[in-house]
């Protein structure tokens, strides 16, 4: 076991899967010689050569479109989109093609691929290097969506994603790319897609978070513990298909739910989670479920820390929800 | 000057000027009369000074970023001639659609340096109040667009804008900047196609600076040149020595005049070189050899012009030093002022999403204002 950060764990998982499976190819802008602008693909070009680690021309539609063709033929492409904010030129390919191939061809053609892309704010990136567009893809039937918060999960989830027979969007929380470290086993292991993890057990209120916001939620849980509120924190890990059983089980226990995400509130994934909780746990709820999210504005530059749903906003939400009396 | 496409594969600085590619200023500072736009000496000096000022600002901003005083800068070291020459070739009534590397063009248009520096700090006096990253400026009063990070989006917009002007009987022309990497984007191909079909008065300015972050130009295209891409769209494509401010001026000016008379768009590939990193987030030593950079430095656009001006006794070292000092002092004062300014007020976050604030933003604004403040994590 070695201590690694998120970048190293993802890099290591890619390398190990590429060694085991010759069909795995990486493609994207700057992924080759320089190893990606965040260095997540560092060393792969030297080890596997330019036919398996492809520096593409600057066109996301081209990256995903050619990845579709590769996948249809039988390869396992792992395209990288340099920032999730730049995924939109590929939106047509992802929504109209990647997501629908299995269904529309009766399974004759499938598009197994893992689209890796860094998401989230807090890095002084402004509008176009900070967004969290997960709900657009969750809304599109046929896509799995994953967002690990730590190196251990990242490796296990990435290996599952590459081996999955369906397309997976793999969102990497760039704010904690280097900040979160963990012991990561050298050997092969997978973490199943569709399984959340209770990272802190508690009885008073359930907090659901993922990616970089998980750490804010955990910090708030510690903070409210001093005031006698015992929060249960769930790291979703897979956003879609969501681990509804874990959420229901927790909410039945606590009766209270707080959802945290960076994306704007309107039609954010929190809206779906909240609806599911109401549909499935209505009689168990003891307080109105609450969303702590980014505001419904474009992602700002100077005021980004006031935009993000950080500890200072999660803590009061936990206290109010836990102490709510009808 | 050839107006039809030339197909010359450009890989080295030595190929970036020569018989097929109009060059006025030779690297040793001598003048090639054949292509000389014959500007007044005062105009030539203005071009030179604008390039020097751009370079001084670049150097200082990079330093500020290293010191953590600003978050980001994307510079134009080595590309000053193609940026200033092309901006100067636009007439007063014309419009400029920027990519993100053309603050030199913005300042050429008369945008106050203080406003530019305020944008670098994202402070309360920034035109867009810190909503965007540094170097993402907006300058409508200066007939200058608004910077967006996503590659290529401005190209089709410039087509629509310039066509709209033409449809109203105006002779306003629009130019649009992008790097050679952006020629791979669908917006480039759509933009050229629409521009060709609509005969829009658009000047497509491709800064071929050889690198798109770490990707070299030969991985961007299998064409022999970027100018050649015009052929498919019926848009004339030309190459110009983009490290030659006078040649760039001349080629762009001719294209502008043609477009203003209903002659349609032109694609201009300006051959230059990105001497610095892609931005302050990039270290080019990871992917290119220093020797290549040194060879390009020999064709340096500022050096070339300086040699020329010295040859004709229009400028000397003393004046040069004094002018640089002047630029530094001007910038220093702007930085000092910008650093003393407040952040934009919290409520500005909710302004400008719509013309009028809907109920949900009113509600969220109230929630933010009455809620706890974030620690400043940066
Ligand atoms: C749609 C999109 N994809 C990726 C990026 C990330 N990115 C920013 S600049 C850049 C390279 C641009 O190269 P080029 O067009 O040659 O212009 P240059 O930076 O060299 O001036 C890339 C890939 C982006 N901004 N937008």
């Amino acid at each position: 076991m070695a201590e690694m950060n998120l970048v190293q764990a993802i890099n290591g998982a890619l390398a190990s899967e590429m060694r085991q499976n010759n069909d795995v190819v990486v493609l994207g802008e700057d992924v080759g010689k320089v190893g990606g602008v965040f260095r997540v693909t560092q060393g792969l070009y030297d080890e596997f050569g330019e036919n398996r680690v492809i520096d593409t021309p600057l066109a996301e539609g081209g990256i995903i479109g050619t990845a579709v063709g590769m996948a249809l033929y039988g390869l396992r492409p792992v395209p990288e989109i340099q920032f999730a904010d730049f995924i939109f030129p590929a939106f047509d390919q992802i929504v109209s093609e990647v997501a629908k191939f299995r269904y529309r061809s009766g399974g004759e053609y499938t598009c197994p691929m893992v689209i890796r892309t860094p998401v989230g704010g807090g890095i002084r990136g402004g509008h176009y290097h900070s967004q969290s567009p997960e709900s657009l893809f969750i809304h599109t039937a046929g896509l799995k969506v994953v967002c690990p918060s730590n190196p251990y999960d990242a490796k296990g989830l990435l290996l599952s994603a590459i081996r999955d027979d369906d397309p997976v969007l793999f969102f990497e929380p760039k704010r904690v790319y280097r900040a979160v470290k963990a012991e990561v086993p050298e050997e092969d292991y997978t973490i199943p897609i569709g399984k959340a993890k209770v990272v802190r057990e508690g009885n008073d209120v359930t907090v659901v978070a993922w990616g970089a916001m998980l750490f804010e939620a955990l910090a708030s849980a510690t903070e409210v513990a001093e005031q006698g509120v015992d929060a249960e924190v769930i790291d979703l890990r897979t956003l879609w298909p969501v681990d509804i059983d874990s959420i229901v089980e927790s909410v039945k226990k606590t009766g209270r739910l707080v959802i945290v995400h960076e994306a704007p509130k309107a039609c954010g994934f929190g809206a779906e989670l909240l609806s599911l909780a109401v549909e499935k746990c209505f009689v168990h709820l003891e307080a109105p479920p609450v969303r702590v999210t980014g505001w419904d504005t474009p992602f700002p530059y100077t005021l980004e820390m006031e935009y993000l749903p950080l500890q200072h906003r999660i803590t009061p939400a936990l206290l109010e929800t836990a102490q709510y009396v009808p | 000057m050839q107006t039809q496409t030339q197909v010359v594969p450009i890989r080295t600085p030595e190929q970036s000027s020569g018989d097929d590619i109009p060059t006025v200023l030779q690297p040793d500072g001598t003048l090639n009369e054949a292509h000389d736009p014959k500007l007044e000496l005062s105009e030539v000096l203005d071009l030179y000074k604008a390039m020097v000022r751009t370079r001084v600002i670049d150097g200082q901003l990079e330093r500020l970023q290293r010191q953590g005083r600003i978050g980001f800068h994307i510079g134009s070291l080595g590309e000053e001639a193609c940026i200033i020459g092309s901006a100067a070739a636009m007439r007063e009534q014309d419009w400029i659609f920027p990519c993100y590397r053309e603050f030199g063009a913005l300042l050429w248009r008369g945008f106050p340096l203080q406003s530019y520096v305020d944008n670098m700090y994202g402070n309360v006096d920034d035109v867009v109040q810190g909503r965007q990253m540094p170097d993402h400026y907006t300058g409508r009063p200066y007939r200058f667009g608004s910077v967006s990070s996503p590659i290529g989006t401005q190209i089709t917009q410039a087509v629509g804008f310039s066509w709209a002007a033409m449809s109203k009987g105006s002779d306003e022309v629009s130019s649009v900047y992008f790097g050679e990497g952006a020629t791979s984007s669908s917006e480039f191909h759509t933009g050229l196609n629409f521009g060709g079909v609509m005969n829009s008065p658009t000047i497509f300015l491709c800064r071929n600076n050889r690198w798109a972050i770490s990707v070299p130009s030969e991985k961007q295209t299998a064409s022999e040149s970027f100018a050649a891409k015009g052929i498919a769209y019926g848009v004339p494509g030309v190459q110009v020595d983009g490290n030659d401010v006078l040649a760039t001026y001349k080629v762009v000016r001719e294209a502008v005049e043609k477009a203003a008379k209903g002659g349609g768009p032109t694609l201009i590939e300006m051959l230059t070189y990105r001497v610095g990193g892609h931005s302050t987030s990039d270290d080019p030593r990871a992917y290119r050899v220093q020797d290549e950079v040194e060879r390009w430095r020999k064709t340096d656009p500022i050096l070339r012009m300086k040699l020329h001006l010295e040859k004709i006794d229009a400028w000397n070292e003393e004046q040069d030093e004094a002018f640089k000092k002047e630029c530094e002092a001007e910038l220093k004062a702007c930085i000092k002022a910008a650093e003393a300014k407040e952040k934009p007020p919290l409520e500005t976050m909710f302004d400008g999403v719509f013309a009028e604030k809907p109920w949900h933003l009113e509600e969220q604004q109230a929630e933010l204002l009455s809620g706890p403040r974030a620690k400043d994590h940066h």
Side-chain angles (χ1 to χ4, degrees), chain A residues 29-30 58 60 82-83 86 89, chain B residues 74 79 99-101 149-151 178-182 207 209 211-213 274 278:
Chain A
E29 294 154 10
D30 304 286
L58 206 173
E60 288 73 13
Q82 198 162 89
F83 285 83
F86 303 138
Chain B
I74 186 155
E79 299 180 51
C99 171
Y100 41 61
R101 213 181 277 293
S149 311
I151 294 290
F178 48 90
E180 84 290 345
R207 283 183 292 94
N209 63 10
W211 292 95
I213 310 185
R274 200 197 74 209
H278 169 74

Side-chain angles (χ1 to χ4, degrees), chain A residues 29-30 37 57-60 63 81-83 85-89 128-129, chain B residues 74-75 79 99-102 136 148-154 178-185 206-215 220 274 277-279:
Chain A
E29 294 154 10
D30 304 286
V37 297
L58 206 173
E60 288 73 13
I63 294 169
I81 299 294
Q82 198 162 89
F83 285 83
D85 312 74
F86 303 138
I87 205 165
F88 300 107
Y128 303 114
H129 300 82
Chain B
I74 186 155
E79 299 180 51
C99 171
Y100 41 61
R101 213 181 277 293
E102 299 90 11
H136 287 58
S148 175
S149 311
I151 294 290
T153 48
Q154 73 278 19
F178 48 90
E180 84 290 345
T183 64
S184 297
S185 73
C206 175
R207 283 183 292 94
N208 178 2
N209 63 10
R210 170 117 182 97
W211 292 95
I213 310 185
S214 75
V215 181
Q220 216 57 252
R274 200 197 74 209
H278 169 74
S279 72

Side-chain angles (χ1 to χ4, degrees), chain A residues 28-34 37 39 45 50 55-59 82 85-86 89 122-129 175 216 265-266 291 294-307 310-313 316, chain B residues 68 70-72 120-123 130-134 136 147-151 181-182 184-185 212-215 219-220 283 286-287 343-346 348-350 353 360-361 364 367-368 372-378:
Chain A
E29 294 154 10
D30 304 286
V31 298
K33 204 165 175 186
V34 76
V37 297
R39 303 295 185 265
Y45 181 87
E50 61 178 7
D55 265 329
T56 66
L58 206 173
Q82 198 162 89
D85 312 74
F86 303 138
I123 59 140
R124 295 193 181 200
H127 296 348
Y128 303 114
H129 300 82
R175 186 175 183 229
E216 301 292 327
K265 189 175 187 182
R291 290 173 283 169
W295 310 110
D296 288 327
T297 74
F299 197 104
Y301 174 72
T302 304
L303 298 174
E304 70 171 329
M305 291 306 170
E306 297 289 357
Y307 178 89
L310 304 179
Q311 184 183 350
H312 68 285
R313 286 175 55 206
Chain B
I70 55 174
F72 176 80
M120 298 307 297
Y121 280 88
N123 64 29
R131 286 179 194 153
Q132 285 231 68
M133 275 175 90
H136 287 58
V147 176
S148 175
S149 311
I151 294 290
S184 297
S185 73
I213 310 185
S214 75
V215 181
K219 286 204 171 177
Q220 216 57 252
D283 180 0
Y287 52 81
K343 280 185 180 184
L346 282 181
T348 61
M349 203 185 329
F350 300 90
V353 182
H360 72 289
L361 290 182
Q364 291 182 15
E367 189 184 331
L368 172 65
R373 289 287 68 77
K375 288 178 280 189
D376 202 351
H377 297 247
H378 287 316

